[in-house]
Amino acid sequence: MELEKPLFAFWYGSLSAVSLPLGALLGLWLRPSNKWTSSLMAFGAGALLAALTLELVAGGLKLAGFWPLGGGCVLGAALFMLLDRLLNSKGGFLRKRSTAAKHLSDQKLKQYSDMLKRLSGIGLFRSLPPEEMCAVVEFTHPFSVKNGEVIFNEGDPGDRLYIIETGAVEVDSGQARRKVAELGAGEAFGEMALISGDPRSARVSAVKDVSGWTIAREDFERLLADNPGLKQEVSRLYVRRLDGLFGPEGSGAEAAKWAKLARAHINVSSLVPSESELKAESEKHSGAAFAIWLGILLDGIPESLVIGASMLHSSAVSMTLIAGVFLANFPEALSSSVGMSKQGSSRSKIIWMWTSLMLMTGIGAFLGNLVFIGLPHGLFVFVEGMAAGAMLAMIAETMLPEATEQGGPAVGMMTVLGFLAAIFVNSLAH
Ligand code: CMP
């Protein structure tokens, strides 16, 4: 077997990824700010965009036309997204700040919508416009009590509002413990002391196992101050209770419609995870090093394969592709190694990890050259299209969010400059 060309591909693949250990070293040494790494990420994304457009898309289009290229692109993107989700579920999302943040905000969104669905059964809150409901979600804390337990006694100070999701409580008052009411799922209690400032007007105890939520007094007051509609509803409930009257809580269909509307109004900024949440998440996945490694490898596989493959149909290696990959790899390692070191990984482990990924890029190029040799043009362009689609999906899903997250107003310009840098390298070759 002729190994000269694949070995040549190995060296060029490794060269394009020297920027990985280099970026990691510089990251550990200089500890650049998030703003810097984001700007460099934008530059790298721009360079990779230009490289894949010029080398993969334009070349493939000329060789075999639109369909093999387009079909490959769609399949490549779909494959990337599938594997990305799979690795993320094993902790691979920790490889980048942006992927970790996205994972956490998706998780929060799920929790929010789940809470909204459950809160939609509470008549009291349905007086709130759906867009105000997010505030309620933030203020609710879960509680549960066992059957027979006293939740509070008559005369206690009122410190929180209770909402029942499942189970039932009994309200009784006076020396004779006269039963005033039994409240069940979807009903609230403990609002009277919060409104009047008086002590609890009755004793409340569980007559079944109860679970639900509480809202602290200060938060409840804030909600009432911000929502005249809720205030009115709570006052009505207060009066009804004083009179010993109750009304129906509303139909299930209404509740579902309301929950859907409320979900559409979830405030996206409230889903952005804080630094401490990100740190806690990375501690939770401390055993995810392999998934992170695989995640970074996944980001790099398509480009390494096409570096090797691109040498098959032209006599010289594509310097544009090498430059684009080099420039994209650099900020990737720079930003990730800072994050990894913050999460407690040792320097030697970080450097070794990026060096091994550099070698894997070389091996990918070697294989790309070996495997794609002799493929008919149509199939070759299809595979090239797959790489282009996967790279585009990777840029859109991991690089650009990282760039825009903290890059400030320079992001647009840095992307254009990166794009031009790769085009400049290309112009030198012609
Ligand atoms: P609070 O006074 O804070 O504490 C006791 C709670 O029992 C009270 O708020 C109401 O939520 C509830 N409660 C009091 N009276 C009635 C009633 N007649 N019917 C239903 N619930 C009541």
Side-chain angles (χ1 to χ4, degrees), residues 161 191 194 215-224 234:
L161 172 82
E191 78 296 341
L194 300 191
I215 298 180
R217 172 178 215 130
E218 320 74 74
D219 295 333
F220 186 61
E221 279 166 1
R222 214 176 310 162
L223 275 172
L224 290 188
V234 172

Side-chain angles (χ1 to χ4, degrees), residues 152-162 169-173 178 180-183 187-196 198-204 237-238 240-246:
F152 55 70
N153 277 303
E154 189 171 338
D156 282 354
D159 55 352
R160 67 198 65 210
L161 172 82
Y162 292 81
V169 299
E170 186 180 285
V171 182
D172 56 34
S173 77
R178 184 176 64 88
V180 179
E182 190 167 313
L183 305 174
E187 290 181 292
F189 61 92
E191 78 296 341
M192 292 172 88
L194 300 191
I195 298 173
S196 63
D198 293 338
R200 298 292 192 193
S201 62
R203 179 176 81 165
V204 177
L237 184 69
Y238 185 92
R240 275 212 308 264
R241 282 192 169 161
L242 279 182
D243 293 348
L245 290 170
F246 285 98

